[in-house]
Amino acid sequence: MIVLHRLARLLVVLVVVTFLSFVLLNLLPGDPVTQILGLSATEESRARLRQELGLDQPLLVRYLDWLGGLAGGDFGTSYITRMPVGAELAERLPVTLELLVAAQIVALGLAVPVGVAAARRAGRALDQALTALSFALLSTPVFVLGVLLILLFAVTWRVVPATGWTSLSVDLGWNLTSVVLPAVTLGCGQFAVYARLLRTDLIATLQEDYITLARARGLSPRRILWRHALRPSAITLITAVGLNLGALIGGTVIIETLFGLPGVGRLIVDSIFSRDYLTVQGGVVLISVGYVVVNFAVDLVYAAVDPRIRRA
Amino acid sequence: MAGSGTAHLRPDDEVLLRVEDLVVEFPAGRGRTVRAVSGVSFDLARGETLGIVGESGCGKSSAARALVQLPPPRSGSVRLDGLELTALRGEALRRTRRRLQMIFQDPISSLNPRRRVRDIVGEGPRVWQLPGDRVDEVLEAVGLDPATAAERRPHEFSGGQCQRISIARALILDPEVVICDEPVSALDVSVQAQILGLLEDLKDRYRLTLVFIAHDLAVVKNVSDRILVMYLGKVCELAPSADLISRPAHPYTRALIASIPGGGGLDLPPADTLISGEPPSPVDPPSGCRFRTRCPRAAPRCATEEPHIRQVGDDHWLACHFPVKE
Amino acid sequence: MRRRLGFGVWLAAGWIGLVLLAALLADFLPFARYDETLAGPPQSGPSAAHPFGTDGLGRDVLSRVVYGARVSLGVGLGAVLLGLGVGAPLGILAGYRRRATDAVIMAVNDVAQAFPALVFALAVVAFAGANLRNVLIVLGVLGVPSWVRLIRGATLSFAEREFVLAARVLGTRDRRILWREILPNVAVPAASYAFIGMAVVVVAEGSLAFLGLSVQAPTPTWGGLINEGRTLMETAPHVVLAPSVVMFLTVLSFNLVGDRLRALTDVREIGLEPVRAPAALPLPTPTHPVRDTLLQVEELRTHFVTPRGVVKAVDGVSFTLDRGRTLAIVGESGSGKSMLIRSVLGLLPGTSIRGGHVYLSGDDLTAYGPAEMRPVLGRRLGTVFQDPMTALNPVRTIGTQVMEPLRVHLRMSRRQARAEAVELLASVGIPDPVRMLRRYPHQLSGGMRQRVTIAMALSCRPDVLFADEPTTALDVTIQAQVLRLLHRLRAERDMAVVLVSHDLSVVAQWADEVIVMYAGKVVERGPAAEVFARPRMPYTESLLQAAPRLTDPVHHRLRVIPGRPPDLAHLPAGCAFHARCPYARERCELEPPPLSEDHHHPYACWYPRPGTTAEQDVRTTGADSRGR
Ligand code: SF4
Ligand code: SF4
């Protein structure tokens, strides 16, 4: 029931979003034909190519065509490279996903222990240090942080390569070294957000009667924090992680540019510049599916964490 | 208990407010419905105080809000001096608001934290464009010093003082009926006595008709001329206050009195022999008499047939198949 | 609610002001224009003439940073105003109107959020032209969904409050309710978010500029400056550092101000452990003979050091308690009765100071550290609180919670603990205890939850059970059941009970002894029946006469205690009750009355009541009618 409802929602969002982006892209000046043939091409050859690519059809027809193909799992063929868009995406997606997952591991792996420790002694040195650090990280744009980290780790100390990507399937070790710096760059800002959210919610939870009663039952602070307080305090954190994941599926372009990673964000940017509409459309599909799927996953996690949200 | 019927209503020309077959329901999610109030009727004569008492979930607050049409009841009639309020909408309904005011339970959250007392109390006259500035007079009437109180904001006052401000806000409109929804249950004993005394004074001074809702029978008895006992959205018993407390005939009223430490001076059997278990959910109320799941006198008839309100004494009404006769 | 903003915020606000001013007055400031190539060598470091040095083309970096601020702040301000202007009305409408309006607005909002921001921004900026206006519109529009969400949430939280209902009862029109009741309350979160939004937009603009998609050269932007400077990193680091630092400080300032504004409406921030060791001197802890009783409290004090002064929440309380007895502590809110319990248990917030002694079977608990207290708390002292709705952890099953003390303190195996938990739940009258183990608190009624908390408190067979208003949140018929249960358990387990309550009739019926508290002090103590029948201290007397009783005639005038309790931070000299006491004389204002020596029924008053005037009624039967 819930799943069906979700699926319907996914479809609606998908259709609306792809349609809007289809219209948006077509409204923009410039078209693939000029891009391919150059400005000097004759009107005749332009018309021929336009017909060949199906660009002479009305917008709605082209959209429905494309949608029909999508329903059958076909993302279409790029006007520019004449390659199937699906294959291109399939090649790029793992890079972005790996980056995202690695960044979340970095962010959460740091945020949870630090947030808990800060809440445990709210107002004291560690907490104040965390507050200062998180404000600093929050206020450092990701490209500034990235430049800084490259300078330190790649240029000065030469621990990891500055740019480039080695796929997981090629070599695990190289893959890890190429993902570590981007992931840390991306994860740092999120670590600050997460740690602050968790700290605030934990502090609120620690005022609850059931925590005082747990202390009155002689349980240790460690047990109270990890077993009693953490789970009820995690809702906002989960929401934030979900929103981030949803937003970042196509939003890692800065990192990808900075570190020269062949990810989805970079692909979309390049495709927009080359008027490669269908590739952009494919990216849009990925992003909106990702958004809805992450939302769905977040709801599932909510239910697992807080029984009050669970439906009987 | 848990009965319906209108036998106890007085003729229209004797009453100021007449509530008939009031039904309040709201959705509970997943297509289910909370049956908060199911066919409750009562009336008030001018200058009378009607107390409504019952435990949480009995529908007393939902009934109060339905009286002021916020939100309007699912069905039933609320007539103020012959005017059918449930038929009114929009501006026509708004025009009646002045005559029917309300005081809420939580003295803190019923005052806007960002406004000054003078604006809070003066809001009514401004909305109604009444001539003259009576804020000082009303503040004094509720026992606040206008000179020091009027320019301050709610958070500078104690709970009792906030409740006085709420009362002033309602009174300044010269309403005919004031509905008090648990006005003292958030207050300490000593402050509660102050507010109860104040309400009695104001009632005389401004010739108010009051509906006084509370869960504490002793508080209700203190201010009410008649008391209506509710259980799970239904009327159990209605009688003049002294009569209800000294001669409770409904099994639920008796259980309520017996549960109060001291038992009201009556020689009732211990409470645990008069009532058992917990109240059922108003989403799925029992058939027949709604009290039957906890009633020691329940018989098969109670499950199949809903008791109707009938007279058992001088202005003493109740809804039960097997009332206690003494 | 009003709190100080703190020094840092003023500093941040000052920095924002400075940057803003510089950006506005850039044309009049005494430095070269941003695109002017200077005579000196390019890439020269900071000097007096060029505080931030010059860049690769020999242009003044300070000038470029200041002119860059025009773009950053201009875009930020414009985008935030756009987001606010569109998002706030929609959010208020959605939150206040609900139903269809809300559903439509939120559905559109959802789609807007799912729409890839990047594609939108890139497409518009790349093709419509990378100028200030387009960047501003793009970032403004992208911010709208968050604004709608935020404002709707804030509106919803206030639209539910009773003061909005009250306004509608007054006959106020919707438009006026929105303007007068809701808007002022939504303004604070909106202002806070405006600052945080500024930070977000400034960063976003920087990112676009970094990708070469913001306002184009030669107009400098912060992001563009950083991107340019990147190539000179090794030879002239100041070129990249200057804009980076300025941008960082600006974003930091916006974040700080926004965060502090939000904190104005936030909860108090206290962790699990004390903020710092109390700075004030320890309170006097006079020595006393340790008696042969179960619980002996001697001169217990709990003070809080606050900005308003020292709040004396508990001020020299002593009592003893034996097994099988119930001691009631009565008083109104602020009398210190709940704080007294927390003080005995050592569960005080970090800002407090405790003095005096607490002996449990002769052991001084005040000498114990937190680690030593834990086994005592879990095993020998049990606790039940007022509100069963908040007393259980909402995300853990009843079984886990009831079994936990058994496993931690008694080291039972899972199976043993389970069996014991089932038995415990049955003993507090819970039907079908085996099934109950798997349920969550929100699935139970208030009465059932309170039974569960009692079961948990009793699990390790404590010597003393502390019950803080255990039935106040319950309905009267359920209250009777729970009190009867407590009474039965006390007898079965031969424990002592400390019952805190504001309800005199409850105390009269169930307690053996009673302590009356006022302003942190014991003002009267004695056998319950006697104190209620013959109160000596005027406050006790007034309290008894202020409470309505079923046996009073209808419209009976209750005794009114004028005024309100004193401020615990500024206690009056003399008797704390004197301002409200009808019998007060001069001496009462000057000298505090001590608790009289009478061991049986002491009281603190210079002019006590004769002790015969109180009505002889049901209350007097209290202590012996508890068989009910
Ligand atoms: S005797 Fe029957 S009708 Fe009367 S209250 Fe009990 S269950 Fe209801
Ligand atoms: S000491 Fe004086 S002021 Fe205090 S209670 Fe006794 S008579 Fe009243």
Side-chain angles (χ1 to χ4, degrees):
Chain A
M1 179 57 213
I2 296 273
V3 175
L4 277 185
H5 182 85
R6 284 284 165 170
L7 215 59
R9 216 178 105 118
L10 167 73
L11 287 178
V12 171
V13 169
L14 200 63
V15 169
V16 174
V17 168
T18 52
F19 180 70
L20 287 178
S21 75
F22 210 82
V23 173
L24 180 78
L25 289 170
N26 276 280
L27 285 179
L28 300 172
D31 70 357
V33 175
T34 318
Q35 199 67 225
I36 298 168
L37 298 176
L39 285 170
S40 56
T42 63
E43 196 46 52
E44 202 178 311
S45 56
R46 294 171 63 92
R48 197 160 358 96
L49 182 60
R50 193 167 279 136
Q51 195 183 8
E52 208 177 295
L53 296 177
L55 285 172
D56 53 343
Q57 306 278 340
L59 180 73
L60 195 63
V61 174
R62 273 188 282 143
Y63 175 68
L64 290 179
D65 246 15
W66 173 82
L67 199 61
L70 187 66
D74 178 12
F75 280 81
T77 307
S78 161
Y79 299 138
I80 313 291
T81 60
R82 305 287 174 100
M83 301 273 285
V85 173
E88 180 86 1
L89 289 173
E91 193 178 310
R92 301 286 194 117
L93 189 60
V95 179
T96 301
L97 284 186
E98 192 185 337
L99 173 61
L100 278 187
V101 171
Q104 296 306 314
I105 291 175
V106 170
L108 284 174
L110 288 173
V112 172
V114 171
V116 169
R120 174 169 176 174
R121 297 188 172 83
R124 294 209 289 204
L126 176 71
D127 182 35
Q128 288 173 347
L130 169 76
T131 304
L133 176 71
S134 64
F135 265 116
L137 285 175
L138 276 179
S139 310
T140 313
V142 88
F143 52 91
V144 173
L145 188 66
V147 167
L148 214 67
L149 291 182
I150 290 180
L151 190 69
L152 283 182
F153 291 93
V155 178
T156 314
W157 297 328
R158 303 186 182 282
V159 201
V160 288
T163 56
W165 178 260
T166 309
S167 162
L168 194 61
S169 53
V170 175
D171 185 311
L172 177 66
W174 279 111
N175 171 266
L176 286 184
T177 49
S178 60
V179 82
V180 63
L181 214 47
V184 170
T185 309
L186 191 57
C188 266
Q190 291 173 11
F191 150 72
V193 177
Y194 296 164
R196 278 185 67 76
L197 283 178
L198 184 61
R199 167 190 174 273
T200 309
D201 283 7
L202 259 177
I203 286 174
T205 303
L206 291 178
Q207 326 274 317
E208 295 277 351
D209 277 354
Y210 60 81
I211 297 297
T212 313
L213 276 172
R215 292 173 61 200
R217 250 173 271 130
L219 303 179
S220 66
R222 173 189 295 266
R223 193 180 179 93
I224 291 176
L225 278 165
W226 292 97
R227 299 247 185 135
H228 289 244
L230 188 59
R231 209 140 65 92
S233 316
I235 291 288
T236 325
L237 181 64
I238 293 166
T239 313
V241 174
L243 278 177
N244 262 335
L245 279 174
L248 283 176
I249 288 178
T252 48
V253 58
I254 301 250
I255 300 273
E256 289 170 10
T257 306
L258 202 60
F259 292 93
L261 307 182
V264 177
R266 202 57 239 174
L267 178 67
I268 293 175
V269 175
D270 294 340
S271 305
I272 287 181
F273 283 119
S274 61
R275 308 297 190 273
D276 192 352
Y277 295 158
L278 288 189
T279 308
V280 178
Q281 277 299 102
V284 170
V285 171
L286 272 194
I287 292 171
S288 28
V289 169
Y291 176 83
V292 179
V293 167
V294 166
N295 258 314
F296 185 42
V298 164
D299 281 356
L300 289 182
V301 178
Y302 278 165
V305 166
D306 192 335
R308 286 168 297 183
I309 296 169
R310 243 170 263 168
R311 292 274 171 204
Chain B
M1 94 74 130
S4 311
T6 53
H8 56 302
L9 296 183
R10 292 168 285 194
D12 240 0
D13 51 346
E14 286 176 27
V15 298
L16 174 62
L17 185 74
R18 182 182 168 111
V19 177
E20 221 172 301
D21 270 331
L22 195 70
V23 176
V24 181
E25 298 179 341
F26 26 78
R30 276 175 290 160
R32 303 192 306 170
T33 308
V34 177
R35 303 185 196 284
V37 180
S38 307
V40 164
S41 308
F42 56 87
D43 56 21
L44 278 108
R46 207 175 275 279
E48 184 183 34
T49 301
L50 173 72
I52 303 183
V53 73
E55 297 178 281
S56 48
C58 76
K60 53 192 192 301
S61 289
S62 303
R65 294 192 178 191
L67 292 191
V68 295
Q69 312 293 312
L70 285 173
R74 165 85 26 114
S75 67
S77 127
V78 177
R79 245 177 301 162
L80 178 65
D81 216 1
L83 180 68
E84 180 59 61
L85 298 183
T86 53
L88 303 178
R89 286 289 175 273
E91 186 62 17
L93 176 61
R94 200 185 71 83
R95 298 220 157 274
T96 66
R97 295 229 176 267
R98 220 188 123 181
R99 307 173 64 186
L100 201 59
Q101 283 301 304
M102 194 160 172
I103 298 165
F104 300 94
Q105 168 171 7
D106 184 343
I108 311 295
S109 100
S110 59
L111 300 177
N112 188 337
R114 307 222 165 255
R115 303 191 74 188
R116 291 173 199 285
V117 170
R118 177 177 300 286
D119 297 326
I120 292 173
V121 177
E123 177 77 5
R126 214 168 305 125
V127 168
W128 291 97
Q129 293 164 355
L130 303 181
D133 182 1
R134 291 179 57 216
V135 172
D136 287 1
E137 175 209 320
V138 178
L139 281 179
E140 229 158 289
V142 298
L144 293 172
D145 176 12
T148 57
E151 302 308 324
R152 293 198 275 162
R153 291 202 166 80
H155 68 91
E156 297 176 64
F157 295 91
S158 67
Q161 289 172 312
C162 285
Q163 207 55 301
R164 288 173 194 267
I165 298 169
S166 289
I167 295 173
R169 170 174 60 190
L171 276 187
I172 199 168
L173 290 176
D174 274 329
E176 291 163 66
V177 180
V178 177
I179 297 157
C180 311
D181 187 5
E182 302 259 13
V184 295
S185 31
L187 306 176
D188 270 327
V189 177
S190 65
V191 185
Q192 168 178 303
Q194 293 171 5
I195 299 293
L196 290 176
L198 176 69
L199 281 174
E200 293 272 62
D201 288 342
L202 296 171
K203 185 186 151 197
D204 294 341
R205 183 161 160 194
Y206 292 90
R207 288 183 297 120
L208 299 173
T209 304
L210 295 183
V211 178
F212 189 97
I213 297 170
H215 65 274
D216 184 335
L217 197 50
V219 169
V220 172
K221 183 191 177 188
N222 186 269
V223 293
S224 308
D225 302 310
R226 303 206 296 167
I227 297 178
L228 176 77
V229 180
M230 284 181 69
Y231 181 83
L232 215 60
K234 294 279 186 183
V235 171
C236 297
E237 189 162 10
L238 171 72
S241 305
D243 199 30
L244 185 96
I245 304 298
S246 57
R247 274 188 296 282
H250 194 286
Y252 177 61
T253 314
R254 286 164 58 88
L256 212 51
I257 295 175
S259 297
I260 297 172
L266 295 184
D267 196 19
L268 292 172
D272 51 355
T273 63
L274 291 180
I275 189 164
S276 58
E278 308 230 335
S281 155
V283 171
D284 189 18
S287 64
C289 173
R290 289 193 181 176
F291 185 53
R292 70 177 164 84
T293 55
R294 302 174 73 192
C295 179
R297 301 170 76 89
R301 180 181 169 198
C302 305
T304 52
E305 192 186 327
E306 186 184 341
H308 278 265
I309 295 177
R310 58 195 168 99
Q311 190 159 18
V312 290
D314 202 12
D315 196 25
H316 195 141
W317 306 81
L318 92 171
C320 172
H321 295 308
F322 311 105
V324 183
K325 298 191 196 84
E326 275 170 41
Chain C
M1 211 153 95
R2 267 161 220 281
R3 254 173 297 146
R4 287 179 46 236
L5 283 166
F7 179 65
V9 173
W10 294 116
L11 212 65
W15 173 259
I16 294 173
L18 185 75
V19 175
L20 206 62
L21 208 66
L24 282 176
L25 302 178
D27 290 331
F28 307 102
L29 290 178
F31 47 54
R33 264 183 68 81
Y34 58 88
D35 49 0
E36 195 177 315
T37 306
L38 300 167
Q43 298 186 25
S44 59
S47 64
H50 309 291
F52 288 1
T54 60
D55 71 357
L57 297 176
R59 295 172 299 193
D60 182 45
V61 175
L62 174 63
S63 168
R64 292 178 66 73
V65 169
V66 168
Y67 277 94
R70 285 189 157 185
V71 175
S72 291
L73 294 189
V75 168
L77 218 58
V80 165
L81 287 180
L82 188 69
L84 180 70
V86 178
L90 286 177
I92 289 192
L93 211 63
Y96 186 67
R97 282 252 166 267
R98 324 266 177 84
R99 301 204 184 133
T101 322
D102 188 26
V104 170
I105 294 178
M106 292 321 285
V108 172
N109 213 45
D110 255 11
V111 172
Q113 278 204 322
F115 195 85
L118 178 80
V119 173
F120 177 75
L122 282 177
V124 172
V125 174
F127 299 112
N131 57 33
L132 192 73
R133 193 196 61 201
N134 288 346
V135 173
L136 187 156
I137 290 177
V138 164
L139 294 180
V141 168
L142 285 178
V144 168
S146 321
W147 275 104
V148 173
R149 241 167 222 287
L150 177 95
I151 300 285
R152 172 178 177 267
T155 307
L156 264 180
S157 74
F158 287 104
E160 306 266 290
R161 296 276 281 276
E162 281 175 340
F163 66 78
V164 172
L165 193 60
R168 300 179 69 189
V169 171
L170 283 183
T172 314
R173 291 190 179 85
D174 279 351
R175 174 187 293 267
R176 193 177 164 87
I177 292 182
L178 279 178
W179 277 103
R180 292 303 178 108
E181 311 289 348
I182 296 195
L183 211 61
N185 284 299
V186 174
V188 177
S192 150
Y193 190 67
F195 278 94
I196 293 175
M198 280 295 282
V200 172
V201 174
V202 168
V203 171
E205 190 277 331
S207 310
L208 281 181
F210 184 78
L211 293 174
L213 285 167
S214 187
V215 183
Q216 296 298 300
T219 313
T221 69
W222 288 348
L225 292 178
I226 294 170
N227 201 14
E228 284 166 30
R230 204 149 56 103
T231 51
L232 304 176
M233 194 100 126
E234 277 159 66
T235 49
H238 64 270
V239 181
V240 69
L241 276 182
S244 298
V245 169
V246 170
M247 183 168 182
F248 169 74
L249 286 179
T250 310
V251 172
L252 182 67
S253 300
F254 280 122
N255 274 330
L256 263 179
V257 175
D259 185 76
R260 284 308 298 172
L261 278 177
R262 193 188 50 202
L264 284 181
T265 52
D266 259 9
V267 286
R268 276 185 316 159
E269 302 210 332
I270 304 168
L272 196 56
E273 285 166 33
V275 170
R276 62 183 73 85
L281 292 172
L283 296 170
T285 50
T287 46
H288 291 272
V290 179
R291 274 180 288 235
D292 180 26
T293 53
L294 179 59
L295 183 68
Q296 180 184 352
V297 172
E298 287 294 348
E299 287 292 314
L300 196 65
R301 280 167 216 277
T302 305
H303 295 181
F304 291 85
V305 185
T306 72
R308 292 191 307 122
V310 177
V311 172
K312 299 182 178 172
V314 178
D315 204 18
V317 171
S318 308
F319 62 84
T320 57
L321 181 61
D322 285 318
R323 261 181 210 287
R325 308 276 292 170
T326 298
L327 168 76
I329 301 173
V330 291
E332 297 182 281
S333 36
S335 62
K337 56 188 193 303
S338 292
M339 204 47 79
L340 171 61
I341 293 228
R342 281 167 207 234
S343 193
V344 170
L345 295 170
L347 293 177
L348 294 166
T351 48
S352 63
I353 326 162
R354 183 168 72 163
H357 296 281
V358 176
Y359 301 98
L360 182 65
S361 307
D363 301 328
D364 187 356
L365 298 185
T366 52
Y368 283 22
E372 292 164 300
M373 257 324 260
R374 261 176 243 141
V376 178
L377 283 176
R379 307 185 55 166
R380 302 183 59 193
L381 306 175
T383 315
V384 177
F385 275 179
Q386 168 172 357
D387 190 351
M389 298 299 159
T390 59
L392 293 170
N393 193 325
V395 306
R396 311 180 84 210
T397 59
I398 301 294
T400 327
Q401 301 193 54
V402 177
M403 281 154 64
E404 186 169 35
L406 299 171
R407 304 210 359 116
V408 169
H409 290 299
L410 304 185
R411 311 227 163 271
M412 285 190 188
S413 70
R414 184 163 273 287
R415 165 175 298 191
Q416 272 177 312
R418 214 181 114 86
E420 178 72 23
V422 169
E423 215 160 280
L424 271 168
L425 290 177
S427 77
V428 295
I430 287 177
D432 199 355
V434 177
R435 252 189 61 215
M436 181 63 75
L437 293 180
R438 280 195 312 274
R439 307 184 73 180
Y440 287 95
H442 69 278
Q443 299 169 313
L444 313 184
S445 69
M448 280 300 148
R449 290 192 210 188
Q450 199 61 306
R451 287 170 192 266
V452 172
T453 59
I454 292 173
M456 287 162 73
L458 297 182
S459 54
C460 299
R461 303 199 156 260
D463 300 323
V464 188
L465 179 71
F466 292 88
D468 187 354
E469 304 263 12
T471 58
T472 307
L474 303 177
D475 275 325
V476 58
T477 53
I478 308 296
Q479 162 173 315
Q481 296 172 359
V482 170
L483 286 169
R484 204 173 303 118
L485 169 70
L486 276 179
H487 195 73
R488 174 169 63 78
L489 292 168
R490 184 195 76 178
E492 280 174 17
R493 297 177 171 234
D494 192 28
M495 48 178 193
V497 175
V498 177
L499 174 71
V500 172
S501 181
H502 71 284
D503 187 334
L504 299 168
S505 56
V506 165
V507 171
Q509 187 172 6
W510 301 104
D512 304 305
E513 270 200 82
V514 60
I515 282 179
V516 182
M517 286 189 73
Y518 188 77
K521 286 199 166 68
V522 174
V523 293
E524 185 157 3
R525 192 178 79 205
E530 193 176 317
V531 170
F532 288 124
R534 289 179 290 283
R536 306 298 308 274
M537 156 83 186
Y539 174 68
T540 315
E541 184 196 68
S542 323
L543 208 55
L544 284 167
Q545 293 171 3
R549 283 168 300 193
L550 272 184
T551 43
D552 292 335
V554 177
H555 298 300
H556 163 75
R557 273 311 172 116
L558 299 169
R559 166 92 170 256
V560 166
I561 309 177
R564 49 200 279 206
D567 180 354
L568 294 178
H570 301 102
L571 285 175
C575 174
F577 189 56
H578 79 75
R580 311 172 77 189
C581 178
Y583 316 107
R585 292 184 227 170
E586 210 186 312
R587 184 178 187 190
C588 308
E589 290 176 39
L590 303 172
E591 277 177 79
L595 205 59
S596 59
E597 294 291 312
D598 177 358
H599 230 71
H600 180 61
H601 181 175
Y603 50 86
C605 178
W606 294 125
Y607 309 105
R609 310 308 301 146
T612 49
T613 49
E615 291 106 302
Q616 313 285 311
D617 60 55
V618 281
R619 290 237 166 97
T620 64
T621 64
D624 22 69
S625 68
R626 95 181 62 90
R628 285 176 188 272

